[in-house]
Amino acid sequence: MPLPLIALGRLLRANAVTAVSLAAAALSFLAVPEPGAWWRAIDLRTLNLLFCLMFVVAGLRECNLFRVLAQGLLAGRTRFRSLAHTLVQLTFAIAMVATNDVALIALVPFAIYALDRLNLRHRLPGLIALQTVAANLGSMATPIGNPQNLFLYTAHLIPPGDFFAATIPVAAAGALLLFALTHALRDEPIDFHFEHHRTLTHRPQALLCGALFALCLLTVFRLLPHAWLFAAVMAAALLFCRTALRAVDYALLLTFVGFFVFSNNLGQIDTVRNLLTRLLETHTQTTAAIASQALSNVPAAILLSPFTDDWRGLLWGVDIGAFGTPIASLASLISLGLYLREPDARPWRYLLLFTLLNLAFLCALTALTPFLD
């Protein structure tokens, strides 16, 4: 078997959502006698932006940027509640600019390490559940915080001012609730020191990735053509930091391609198109939130987007819909997987805390949005 096919097979076995999206895309052709120019449904601008942002974040991670930042904020004599606030708020902040996935991949292992050193491993389920909520909250605030925001911002040509007017109040209200819940944690004095202090490495690469991140922002806000951004990123990758290319989540890009094709083909079926259009006419946010619980919010956004012009309701639905089942947000699955790798993991305790927290945020933020419309 050719090597590319072997690599693709391994990728699909390790990424169930990607496999499902591509299988759904393939099967959808059976229901559409004449799919037409289906490849035009693939949003190259979104894919390009997502690829470039993932590359830049991978390059910055290679430089230890996130670990250096965390160590600078956490070391010394403090209290557990202060440590929890720092980890949760740092997760929220990183998710705003580097996606919820990256925030959790960088900081959940850090929380596990910290509580292990402090002999407080029994408090891991609550802290990781709070970090997961923080990542999903922070990511909803910006167009680049998560893949569904980037897709909707691009596909619906949302003006920046309108986007932030829709997302900032929801994220800010969630942040206040998150702060209150974190502050309610049982407090105790701790003294935390690092055995090995991390330092920023590959400084030229860090500066280069910082410059590329600035270009990504210019492209997100439609001030730079996305083809120019791709050319700059590929030139930098091939000349200076090829290893970061291996850290890009190509499975996520394939997931997008699969659901782009799947949603396009569904749109060709009159019965499905009419059903989704009717549901989204009056219940956009509710439909998107429910779809997120079963499909995850990224596929839900891609599937429902062609059938409504109510980008605000769709955006609120898929972002607030991240607070629900573990599958509602792929970032939630990342933190769950990281915790379950621990030898003393208590899955049911974690899932109970996770579910209670998510229900609280799902209800609170859903109740808020009618006042913002």
Side-chain angles (χ1 to χ4, degrees):
M1 183 180 294
L3 285 176
L5 292 180
I6 295 174
L8 179 62
R10 289 174 179 169
L11 184 71
L12 295 179
R13 282 196 299 272
N15 296 275
V17 176
T18 305
V20 168
S21 74
L22 295 179
L27 291 173
S28 67
F29 283 102
L30 300 178
V32 184
E34 298 180 7
W38 55 267
W39 55 88
R40 292 180 183 167
I42 299 173
D43 189 339
L44 293 179
R45 187 176 190 275
T46 297
L47 293 177
N48 182 22
L49 274 170
L50 196 55
F51 165 80
C52 293
L53 284 165
M54 287 191 290
F55 170 82
V56 167
V57 169
L60 291 173
R61 265 204 349 244
E62 283 185 351
C63 303
N64 285 332
L65 177 66
F66 302 122
R67 288 297 181 93
V68 169
L69 180 61
Q71 285 192 358
L73 291 171
L74 294 175
R77 187 180 298 275
T78 182
R79 302 186 68 83
F80 178 80
R81 191 179 288 161
S82 177
L83 172 70
H85 271 303
T86 302
L87 281 169
V88 169
Q89 291 167 21
L90 190 58
T91 304
F92 181 98
I94 290 178
M96 290 177 66
V97 296
T99 77
N100 47 3
D101 294 1
V102 169
L104 291 172
I105 291 170
L107 292 176
V108 168
F110 197 90
I112 293 171
Y113 169 76
L115 267 61
D116 181 55
R117 291 287 314 282
L118 296 167
N119 295 317
L120 295 173
R121 291 183 63 87
H122 61 285
R123 306 195 69 172
L124 268 176
L127 182 56
I128 294 176
L130 285 169
Q131 283 183 287
T132 305
V133 169
N136 285 324
L137 270 176
S139 71
M140 74 165 58
T142 66
I144 60 174
N146 56 49
Q148 71 269 14
N149 278 15
L150 183 60
F151 165 68
L152 292 175
Y153 179 83
T154 302
H156 288 264
L157 298 175
I158 305 172
D162 291 348
F163 180 92
F164 288 116
T167 59
I168 293 296
V170 181
L176 290 174
L177 177 58
L178 181 66
F179 182 89
L181 290 171
T182 307
H183 203 70
L185 293 173
R186 180 170 54 84
D187 204 11
E188 57 187 293
I190 58 173
D191 192 2
F192 189 60
H193 296 283
F194 295 94
E195 291 178 353
H196 305 289
H197 283 273
R198 300 269 184 156
T199 57
L200 190 65
T201 61
H202 308 97
R203 290 177 184 271
Q205 178 174 318
L207 291 173
L208 175 63
C209 289
L212 291 174
F213 182 69
L215 293 182
C216 287
L217 291 181
L218 291 175
T219 307
V220 166
F221 293 112
R222 307 183 186 101
L223 299 174
L224 182 74
H226 71 90
W228 292 13
L229 173 67
F230 181 77
V233 166
M234 287 306 300
L238 296 175
L239 291 173
F240 303 110
C241 39
R242 296 185 185 184
T243 55
L245 284 173
R246 293 198 290 269
V248 171
D249 189 352
Y250 295 102
L252 180 60
L253 297 176
L254 280 175
T255 300
F256 266 76
V257 171
F259 279 111
F260 280 141
V261 176
F262 177 65
S263 61
N264 174 74
N265 287 351
L266 277 188
Q268 309 301 315
I269 303 171
D270 291 338
T271 305
V272 174
R273 183 175 63 250
N274 293 336
L275 173 63
L276 290 177
T277 301
R278 283 199 303 272
L279 284 173
L280 292 168
E281 273 179 4
T282 53
H283 302 94
T284 306
Q285 183 176 338
T286 302
T287 303
I290 293 173
S292 296
Q293 303 308 307
L295 297 174
S296 181
N297 48 15
V298 174
I302 298 171
L303 173 63
L304 300 177
S305 177
F307 303 101
T308 181
D309 293 324
D310 181 12
W311 63 263
R312 188 176 284 100
L314 187 54
L315 181 66
W316 283 338
V318 294
D319 276 350
I320 297 173
F323 304 104
T325 63
I327 200 174
S329 167
L330 296 180
S332 299
L333 292 177
I334 289 173
S335 56
L336 174 61
L338 289 170
Y339 175 66
L340 292 181
R341 290 178 194 171
E342 295 302 300
D344 58 347
R346 302 169 67 183
W348 293 111
R349 175 177 170 77
Y350 177 82
L351 288 172
L352 175 62
L353 291 169
F354 174 90
T355 302
L356 291 174
L357 274 173
N358 275 264
L359 285 176
F361 279 89
L362 181 64
C363 294
L365 298 182
T366 300
L368 170 67
T369 54
F371 298 98
L372 303 175
D373 215 348

